[in-house]
Amino acid sequence: MLFQIAWKNIWRNKTRSLLVMGSVVMGLWVGAFMMAYAFGMIDQRLQDAVKNEISHFQSHHPKFEIDNEVKYFLSEGPEMLRKIRLDKRVKAATGRVIVNGMVSSANYSTGGRFIGIIPAFENEVTGLQDKLTEGAYFDENSRNKVIIGERLAEKLKVKLRSKIVLTFQDSTGNILAGAFRIRGLYKTYNATYDETNIFVRAMDIDQLINLPGQYHEIAALIHDPGKLDTVITDLTVAYPKAKTEDWKDIAPEISLMIESFDQYMIIFLIIILLALSFGIINTMLMAVLERVREIGVLMAIGMNRTKLFFMISLETICLVMAATPFGMLLGYFTVQYLGKTGMDLSAIYQEGYAAYGVQSYIYPKLEDIYYIRVMCMVIVTALLASIYPAITAIRLNPIKAIRKI
Amino acid sequence: MNNLPPVIITEDLTKVYDEGAIPVKAVNQVNLQIDQGEFTALVGPSGSGKTTLLNMIGGLDRPSSGKVWVDGKNLGAMKKNQLIDFRLHNIGFVFQAYNLIPVLTARENIEFVMLLQKASKKERNHRVLELLREVGLQDKMNNRPDELSGGQQQRVAVARALASKPKFVLADEPTANLDSKTAANLLDIMSKLNQEEGITFIFSTHDQRVIDRAHRVITLVDGAIESDELIANASDHIESV
Ligand SMILES: Nc1ncnc2c1ncn2[C@@H]1O[C@H](COP(=O)(O)OP(=O)(O)OP(=O)(O)O)[C@@H](O)[C@H]1O
Ligand SMILES: [Mg+2]
């Protein structure tokens, strides 16, 4: 009976109720969309990072990460790479010689990371060749050639076939410099990456630093990311002197981003729900105060305060609950649809977002658990929002209320 | 005729409103005894304290001093929830207007009180139909209040007041918004129920034609009883209308 009256009361002021329902629907819709958008962005970032930069796992000399010094190369690098490439679980693997130093043109000089690559293998792992926007990839004849990022080229004010000088230390600490000609320009979605990483052939640089055939880094992709842990364990057992880590450990900022994201989402949701609940409370309070006399009559004829409380709070709860499925479905289908088609944001955002390593094409996505979470939070919000108007109603003095005509 | 003790007793009942600058004695030292089955009119000029007195008798309002005994119970000793429960089972109210729950039909409005009393479905159906018949609104039972005339609404209110099988019905100017023919019709119904079910009615009114129907007329002036007359053969009036 209380439920019936509550439901009927909702429809007394259709416009107002629909407005509240509309705001609940909007809140859920926008909430789901924003979350899916942010998740999509993060997921994209992760996939890009794995595909373009980190790969699934990497091996280094244990000290290399802390001290990017030339002397910390992988002691069994060439053999390890051979083994890894023969592993059936591995899709692609490559070795790299990595040296930090200065890169200079006639106009400008800046810090850089010189990466000596095995051109064919590197291409299998990071697809470097596909990222070229100008010039050509390495071949047998490209001795002392470099491929640098477009953005770095702009900074250095150099073009294809310009000469740049790389300065760095060799394994014994001697300062060396080498002149390289630009063979190609590349571009990824990560501006910082493009400005720092300079590719040369491993064989060109390892002679300079006097580490022929050695690698500082082995990076690999595997077929089934689910097997990542076992692959790493196997490698760690086989090559205990090398430190083999998965992408989460290599780029902790990315996994941290994903983990802390849950919390951000909850805060974000709470803000939406808080705003919603203020709207709901306000509206329901209006509905209660409009019916002061009627509530007074109910109390006069013997409706006790518990029942009255339930009747008024049921009204709020029904209102929110009735709107929730619409909001959820709208959010769900929007996310599903945009998740398939993707959202092209290149027109609006590219410059700004590229700096954070985010692509301008985003596929919103949201796991089912989040819909359930949102639903629970909406239910809690409805319950909380229903309390205040109901308390206001039972605090009414029936006699005063009845005298008010 | 009746040796039972009075069902409503007030002892020096006083209500002072001191919310404003000057305290107002809305009801001043009222001593009143009302017997089972009386059909009493409470009259007096506007502001004389009729509503205040009725509300205190009905347990809607608390006296500033003095006591109210209803059916042997001291209302002043009851807690809020006990009072609500007491009203539910013992007292029916009819107000001047806007008595009904707008979202419920005539039938549901009457049934509502019985639902609060947790009456069975069978009992409810039976009583609601009976009451609708008594007030002559069987054909309007599925109409909502805004689809009823003022007189019809007040008839539903009377039916609702009786649905809980109360011992008392307190009606505060039940006919104030009705034309005289409709008012007479409502009075007919009330006095018939008074006679048939033995329910004690107390109603306040300004309307001389309504006053004429009462068996007892209590006149209030400035919150105090000025006169209290029993009217012989009052029931004859019913036939004469
Ligand atoms: N809540 C209140 N606060 C202050 N004074 C009040 C309050 N309610 C009633 N009064 C005063 O108490 C007195 C009695 O009021 P009451 O409503 O009982 O009169 P009444 O006889 O019912 O009048 P009417 O015939 O106009 O309905 C009046 O002077 C009124 O102004
Ligand atoms: Mg009055």
Side-chain angles (χ1 to χ4, degrees), chain A residues 403, chain B residues 47 49-52 96 172-173 204 206:
Chain A
R403 277 180 185 265
Chain B
K50 304 181 294 294
T51 300
T52 309
Q96 185 175 327
D172 192 8
E173 304 196 34
S204 73
H206 287 290

Side-chain angles (χ1 to χ4, degrees), chain A residues 2 6 305-315 390 394:
Chain A
L2 292 183
R305 287 176 298 167
T306 318
K307 288 209 171 88
L308 195 62
F309 182 90
F310 275 119
M311 190 183 92
I312 304 286
S313 42
L314 261 178
E315 230 170 277
I394 63 166

Side-chain angles (χ1 to χ4, degrees), chain A residues 105-174:
Chain A
S105 68
N107 303 301
Y108 192 80
S109 68
T110 177
R113 188 174 168 86
F114 314 134
I115 305 175
I117 60 170
I118 309 161
F121 292 0
E122 183 68 35
N123 203 32
E124 286 169 17
V125 175
T126 58
L128 181 59
Q129 190 167 5
D130 298 336
K131 291 174 198 145
L132 293 183
T133 53
E134 263 183 80
Y137 197 55
F138 298 114
D139 59 21
E140 289 85 68
N141 308 320
S142 41
R143 190 164 184 275
N144 288 345
K145 297 277 163 53
V146 286
I147 293 176
I148 69 170
E150 257 182 16
R151 292 177 76 97
L152 180 61
E154 268 168 43
K155 258 174 118 175
L156 295 171
K157 298 200 178 73
V158 291
K159 288 198 287 251
L160 218 54
R161 280 179 290 279
S162 301
K163 225 177 218 179
I164 55 172
V165 175
L166 308 186
T167 316
F168 46 86
Q169 291 185 319
D170 73 0
S171 55
T172 52
N174 298 317

